[in-house]
Amino acid sequence: MRPLTRIGFVISLLALSSAPHAQQPPSAVTLPGLEQALDQITVTAPAPSPTQAVPPQAPIVTPPTGEQVAAPTPAPASSPAPRAQQTALSIEQVADKITAAESALTARLRAFHPLVEVYLQNLAPDDKLGVPIHDEYFLGQFDWKDGPKLTPLSINKGSFQGQSLIKKPFGMQYLPDGFAAMTVPDWRLLDRQRYDFTFVRREFLGEARCFVFDLKPKGDEADGFTGRIWVEDRDYNIVRFNGISRNVDHTLSSFFRKKISFHVDSWRVNALTGLWLPAYIYCEETDASENKQALPRLPQMKTQVRLWGYDLKGTRAQQEFTSIQIDEPSVQDGADPARQLSPVASQRRWEQEAEDNVIDRLTRAGILAPAGPVDGVLETVLNNLLVTNNVSLEAPIKCRVLLTSPLESFTVGHTIVMSRGLIDVLPDEASLAMILGHELSHAILGHQLIDTKFAFADRLMIPDQDLLRVLRFKHSAAEEQAANTKVLALLATSPYKDKLSDAGLFLRAVLASAKQLPNLIQTHLGDYVVDGGQSLGPLMQQAPALAPENLEQIPALPLGARLVVDPWSNRLELLRGPAVPLTSAREKVPMAVTPLMPYIRYAVVPPRVTSR
Ligand SMILES: [Zn+2]
């Protein structure tokens, strides 16, 4: 019974984030296999991953404290030493180098087509805890057409939705483009003719030694960027900028129909040698007009903009090759009657092909992360459920991660897909087991897991913009209820059976926010949780009532709490920071947008031919 007692320690707030990539045992697993899996989950030290290149982005929990250059921050042995700077440069010379690097990046960005995700939360005015009460979502692809534009990829609710076009003729067209514009401080030119550069100090951002400058437009302040830039001192690329861009502001104010100023904190990561790409933008707004008493207030609107998928063209070529190789053997097998598949086996193969087609297509579109270590962590938890329930399935279940923020999970054949946002906010392993268990139940109960029309290749020869509309996999209400009943049985005999009150608490949190945050809480999860008033009721009854002021009770984590996306390769990494004790209820912010400060590193991968 040792595994069962050990798992009790596993289920702590950040246990998942310290879980190393577990080897998935083969489908028929015996108890020793389970024990091994659980032991791996319990490990608290980050697992060394010698085979992996140093990722260009790694998380930190606390903001950089702004060490001076003199502070010792040794560069890792693997990164090339910074160039010795023998000759002193004047501020003007440094400013000119910044201008040159920024012009080069701006020109290069026009050729890239990363995915851009905008998620906006409105907070209740005068709310002391910063609870979001309304949200907006937009997923698009960056396209340069006489300016930064976003081609929509998502089916949107709320103000970004098509029907609001009539009500908000300006907003619909310009709002997403306004956010696309935030990726650089000034799309025209950041030079000494237009701006005053004031040197502030030198400071480390992660591993990058930076110059910090304050920038102000020389002429009209309503035209250009006002704020601070951090510039790394090897190639003079902007790593971070923080301030306000008045041009962007005009666009966004017209959408919200009031004068507001979007303050922006924008971060870039070093994807390849010399190439720093916009990856994460946080912006917030306090409605200044109402703040007459100058009391400290929480922002009323918080937005995160994430960019990824810069290297999609490379992925595309690779994927096409893989599918050619899969198809070939079956073509040849057909000639040999002894080796011809039986109708049942053919049907299974058919479904498998549909699944592979969908997974490949989603990966090529940059919506699904490539297979990686995070999948292994999910599969370990899934395996715990399978083994303790003595379930053996005809095909092993795999897991993959959707790169988007909205909380959702679904099955594509024998692949369970969970969104990055959902993994981020789950408070613990028991809640993760509940989500995976629900999808697993659909498989165990023999519900149809894939629409086999996708076995026909032409079905997926559609533009990326139509993918998310076509690839929605729904179950009937009866099947959802059956899955919820089944998951209760699975959990009751699982290693998570004593920790189910946490899962119930998560359900309560989702239920409490489902109406306010319809863009974050997606239909499948939303539907079965809301319906869960009946079928998942037992889980919720085990949980205490939500207590927003109670620092001990963590029903859900903020967005971005667990997974870090490499914006170049789309690879995911678990955030391995220590749990930070909360000091006030304001810091709980379940399912909320927060500032995110990536850990800045120099790329160590050798330069190679980029997508352009
Ligand atoms: Zn379901």
Side-chain angles (χ1 to χ4, degrees):
M1 288 278 87
R2 194 171 68 90
L4 297 188
T5 47
R6 295 207 58 168
I7 197 97
F9 299 102
V10 169
I11 308 163
S12 61
L13 183 61
L14 282 167
L16 181 62
S17 64
S18 59
H21 171 27
Q23 291 296 315
Q24 176 73 350
S27 54
V29 188
T30 50
L31 264 174
L34 168 67
E35 201 171 324
Q36 185 194 12
L38 294 184
D39 280 343
Q40 287 184 327
I41 284 263
T42 6
V43 176
T44 46
S49 47
T51 52
Q52 280 184 316
V54 176
Q57 184 190 41
I60 50 167
V61 178
T62 48
T65 46
E67 308 117 288
Q68 294 297 310
V69 171
T73 306
S78 56
S79 89
R83 277 176 221 150
Q85 303 212 331
Q86 299 293 346
T87 49
L89 293 174
S90 69
I91 293 201
E92 287 76 19
Q93 284 170 314
V94 174
D96 290 344
K97 284 175 181 290
I98 296 169
T99 303
E102 186 64 8
S103 306
L105 176 85
T106 309
R108 255 182 121 168
L109 270 183
R110 294 174 190 187
F112 284 119
H113 301 280
L115 270 68
V116 182
E117 181 190 60
V118 180
Y119 181 57
L120 183 153
Q121 285 182 337
N122 285 92
L123 277 55
D126 303 319
D127 183 276
K128 290 188 188 69
L129 300 179
V131 177
I133 49 163
H134 176 75
D135 70 350
E136 305 278 3
Y137 182 79
F138 186 88
L139 180 67
Q141 181 177 298
F142 184 94
D143 286 309
W144 180 270
K145 287 170 192 152
D146 302 322
K149 299 273 188 297
L150 288 189
T151 307
L153 292 178
S154 56
I155 320 142
N156 300 299
K157 299 175 189 141
S159 306
F160 295 164
Q161 202 175 15
Q163 67 206 44
S164 310
L165 188 61
I166 308 147
K167 281 182 267 169
K168 293 184 174 170
F170 298 108
M172 182 57 196
Q173 287 139 346
Y174 299 124
L175 181 66
D177 297 343
F179 286 109
M182 286 179 181
T183 45
V184 305
D186 191 328
W187 282 93
R188 283 180 289 169
L189 204 54
L190 206 66
D191 68 0
R192 287 194 290 125
Q193 278 68 53
R194 297 187 60 218
Y195 284 93
D196 285 325
F197 284 70
T198 312
F199 177 70
V200 181
R201 61 171 180 265
R202 298 186 73 160
E203 179 182 323
F204 272 98
L205 289 186
E207 289 172 6
R209 196 170 57 179
C210 292
F211 299 110
V212 184
F213 281 91
D214 278 351
L215 258 61
K216 254 176 116 171
K218 278 200 156 122
D220 184 4
E221 280 216 15
D223 176 24
F225 170 79
T226 307
R228 182 162 289 186
I229 58 173
W230 283 253
V231 180
E232 49 89 26
D233 71 357
R234 289 193 202 172
D235 301 309
Y236 302 93
N237 289 293
I238 296 180
V239 175
R240 176 188 184 190
F241 63 91
N242 171 306
I244 187 161
S245 171
R246 295 290 174 189
N247 302 337
V248 172
D249 228 37
H250 295 322
T251 309
L252 296 177
S253 291
S254 70
F255 174 78
F256 293 103
R257 299 223 168 147
K258 56 178 178 179
K259 180 72 198 101
I260 48 170
S261 338
F262 264 87
H263 290 83
V264 172
D265 187 36
S266 185
W267 290 77
R268 296 178 182 170
V269 300
N270 190 196
L272 305 172
T273 305
L275 181 62
W276 289 78
L277 294 168
Y280 184 85
I281 305 164
Y282 170 75
C283 41
E284 70 175 40
E285 194 37 58
T286 314
D287 195 343
S289 59
E290 291 168 25
N291 194 8
K292 292 187 186 102
Q293 295 148 334
L295 295 170
R297 293 165 60 113
L298 290 167
Q300 283 189 270
M301 203 184 284
K302 297 197 285 186
T303 309
Q304 62 173 31
V305 182
R306 288 167 176 272
L307 296 97
W308 69 86
Y310 284 97
D311 190 29
L312 277 180
K313 284 196 173 153
T315 320
R316 205 157 288 174
Q318 222 174 10
Q319 294 288 336
E320 275 159 13
F321 240 86
T322 315
S323 44
I324 290 171
Q325 286 167 344
I326 288 169
D327 288 343
E328 258 170 322
S330 65
V331 173
Q332 288 171 354
D333 284 354
D336 179 357
R339 291 168 66 194
Q340 182 175 316
L341 294 175
S342 71
V344 172
S346 295
Q347 177 68 26
R348 285 182 189 168
R349 173 78 74 90
W350 187 242
E351 287 177 12
Q352 184 64 46
E353 282 185 5
E355 174 181 336
D356 292 345
N357 287 346
V358 171
I359 294 290
D360 283 353
R361 187 68 189 86
L362 285 171
T363 311
R364 276 188 287 138
I367 295 165
L368 205 64
V374 176
D375 305 342
V377 173
L378 303 182
E379 284 162 8
T380 302
V381 173
L382 195 65
N383 200 53
N384 289 346
L385 289 175
L386 284 170
V387 172
T388 46
N389 281 279
N390 278 322
V391 178
S392 60
L393 291 162
E394 153 261 313
I397 304 266
K398 289 170 287 178
C399 296
R400 293 288 289 270
V401 182
L402 211 61
L403 286 159
T404 48
S405 293
L407 316 186
E408 58 187 317
S409 65
F410 53 88
T411 55
V412 178
H414 285 80
T415 303
I416 295 177
V417 178
M418 277 181 79
S419 67
R420 173 181 53 74
L422 181 53
I423 298 171
D424 270 348
V425 302
L426 285 173
D428 64 358
E429 210 175 306
S431 316
L432 174 60
M434 173 185 67
I435 302 285
L436 291 169
H438 174 92
E439 302 302 335
L440 178 64
S441 298
H442 284 304
I444 294 174
L445 294 169
H447 298 162
Q448 191 174 352
L449 302 175
I450 180 110
D451 189 333
T452 50
K453 73 181 182 191
F454 297 117
F456 294 106
D458 61 292
R459 299 278 190 179
L460 289 163
M461 291 180 184
I462 48 175
D464 289 358
Q465 295 91 290
D466 298 332
L467 265 187
L468 285 177
R469 185 174 47 76
V470 172
L471 297 179
R472 290 276 147 176
F473 306 107
K474 291 219 155 201
H475 296 285
S476 68
E479 286 187 345
E480 290 302 346
Q481 194 157 6
N484 276 343
T485 309
K486 182 72 190 168
V487 72
L488 291 179
L490 290 179
L491 290 171
T493 44
S494 76
Y496 308 104
K497 65 177 185 322
D498 298 325
K499 275 297 194 175
L500 295 179
S501 71
D502 293 343
L505 201 58
F506 175 71
L507 289 178
R508 281 182 189 261
V510 170
L511 198 56
S513 299
K515 276 221 179 70
Q516 289 88 340
L517 306 177
N519 288 289
L520 186 66
I521 296 162
Q522 291 291 296
T523 44
H524 180 220
L525 183 72
D527 287 354
Y528 80 72
V529 169
V530 172
D531 164 70
Q534 288 119 41
S535 46
L536 286 178
L539 281 183
M540 279 193 261
Q541 282 153 22
Q542 291 181 37
L546 289 175
E549 306 270 0
N550 179 356
L551 294 185
E552 304 292 310
Q553 189 192 73
I554 306 291
L557 302 185
L559 288 166
R562 290 194 192 281
L563 295 181
V564 180
V565 182
D566 175 350
W568 180 257
S569 67
N570 290 356
R571 290 188 193 288
L572 287 168
E573 217 196 327
L574 274 171
L575 201 155
R576 299 186 194 280
V580 181
L582 303 182
T583 57
S584 91
R586 277 196 322 280
E587 294 182 328
K588 269 174 80 169
V589 291
M591 299 186 277
V593 168
T594 68
L596 273 191
M597 307 219 173
Y599 184 77
I600 299 300
R601 281 177 185 169
Y602 279 100
V604 287
V605 284
R608 57 178 170 132
V609 182
T610 59
S611 60
R612 269 283 153 139

PDB file of all heavy atoms in Angstrom, residues 19 92 280 395 465 468 549:
ATOM      1  N   ALA A  19       6.978  17.605 -11.097  1.00  0.00           N
ATOM      2  CA  ALA A  19       7.015  16.256 -11.628  1.00  0.00           C
ATOM      3  C   ALA A  19       7.896  16.198 -12.864  1.00  0.00           C
ATOM      4  O   ALA A  19       7.690  16.955 -13.796  1.00  0.00           O
ATOM      5  CB  ALA A  19       5.602  15.811 -11.989  1.00  0.00           C
ATOM      6  N   GLU A  92      24.737  58.531 -27.445  1.00  0.00           N
ATOM      7  CA  GLU A  92      24.247  58.682 -28.812  1.00  0.00           C
ATOM      8  C   GLU A  92      24.605  57.454 -29.655  1.00  0.00           C
ATOM      9  O   GLU A  92      23.793  56.969 -30.439  1.00  0.00           O
ATOM     10  CB  GLU A  92      24.841  59.943 -29.469  1.00  0.00           C
ATOM     11  CG  GLU A  92      24.265  61.254 -28.950  1.00  0.00           C
ATOM     12  CD  GLU A  92      24.801  61.625 -27.569  1.00  0.00           C
ATOM     13  OE1 GLU A  92      25.862  61.091 -27.177  1.00  0.00           O
ATOM     14  OE2 GLU A  92      24.129  62.409 -26.871  1.00  0.00           O
ATOM     15  N   TYR A 280       5.487  37.888 -24.912  1.00  0.00           N
ATOM     16  CA  TYR A 280       4.432  38.083 -23.918  1.00  0.00           C
ATOM     17  C   TYR A 280       4.241  39.576 -23.667  1.00  0.00           C
ATOM     18  O   TYR A 280       5.196  40.307 -23.475  1.00  0.00           O
ATOM     19  CB  TYR A 280       4.789  37.399 -22.602  1.00  0.00           C
ATOM     20  CG  TYR A 280       3.668  37.494 -21.590  1.00  0.00           C
ATOM     21  CD1 TYR A 280       2.636  36.569 -21.599  1.00  0.00           C
ATOM     22  CD2 TYR A 280       3.616  38.534 -20.663  1.00  0.00           C
ATOM     23  CE1 TYR A 280       1.581  36.671 -20.702  1.00  0.00           C
ATOM     24  CE2 TYR A 280       2.564  38.639 -19.765  1.00  0.00           C
ATOM     25  CZ  TYR A 280       1.557  37.701 -19.790  1.00  0.00           C
ATOM     26  OH  TYR A 280       0.506  37.800 -18.914  1.00  0.00           O
ATOM     27  N   ALA A 395      -6.588   0.447 -27.353  1.00  0.00           N
ATOM     28  CA  ALA A 395      -5.439   1.251 -27.783  1.00  0.00           C
ATOM     29  C   ALA A 395      -5.032   2.143 -26.620  1.00  0.00           C
ATOM     30  O   ALA A 395      -5.893   2.610 -25.876  1.00  0.00           O
ATOM     31  CB  ALA A 395      -5.823   2.110 -28.988  1.00  0.00           C
ATOM     32  N   GLN A 465      -7.881  29.283 -40.482  1.00  0.00           N
ATOM     33  CA  GLN A 465      -8.969  30.073 -39.893  1.00  0.00           C
ATOM     34  C   GLN A 465     -10.216  29.225 -39.638  1.00  0.00           C
ATOM     35  O   GLN A 465     -11.011  29.537 -38.777  1.00  0.00           O
ATOM     36  CB  GLN A 465      -9.381  31.237 -40.808  1.00  0.00           C
ATOM     37  CG  GLN A 465      -8.337  32.290 -41.024  1.00  0.00           C
ATOM     38  CD  GLN A 465      -7.493  31.989 -42.241  1.00  0.00           C
ATOM     39  OE1 GLN A 465      -6.700  31.046 -42.229  1.00  0.00           O
ATOM     40  NE2 GLN A 465      -7.642  32.764 -43.289  1.00  0.00           N
ATOM     41  N   LEU A 468     -10.623  25.587 -36.095  1.00  0.00           N
ATOM     42  CA  LEU A 468     -11.233  25.455 -34.779  1.00  0.00           C
ATOM     43  C   LEU A 468     -12.747  25.338 -34.875  1.00  0.00           C
ATOM     44  O   LEU A 468     -13.393  24.789 -33.993  1.00  0.00           O
ATOM     45  CB  LEU A 468     -10.845  26.631 -33.884  1.00  0.00           C
ATOM     46  CG  LEU A 468      -9.408  26.562 -33.348  1.00  0.00           C
ATOM     47  CD1 LEU A 468      -9.079  27.796 -32.525  1.00  0.00           C
ATOM     48  CD2 LEU A 468      -9.189  25.313 -32.507  1.00  0.00           C
ATOM     49  N   GLU A 549     -11.379  35.115   0.842  1.00  0.00           N
ATOM     50  CA  GLU A 549     -10.446  35.793   1.745  1.00  0.00           C
ATOM     51  C   GLU A 549      -9.467  34.827   2.405  1.00  0.00           C
ATOM     52  O   GLU A 549      -8.497  35.251   3.027  1.00  0.00           O
ATOM     53  CB  GLU A 549     -11.228  36.537   2.844  1.00  0.00           C
ATOM     54  CG  GLU A 549     -12.289  37.492   2.340  1.00  0.00           C
ATOM     55  CD  GLU A 549     -11.736  38.909   2.125  1.00  0.00           C
ATOM     56  OE1 GLU A 549     -10.531  39.100   2.380  1.00  0.00           O
ATOM     57  OE2 GLU A 549     -12.508  39.786   1.700  1.00  0.00           O
TER      58      GLU A 549
END
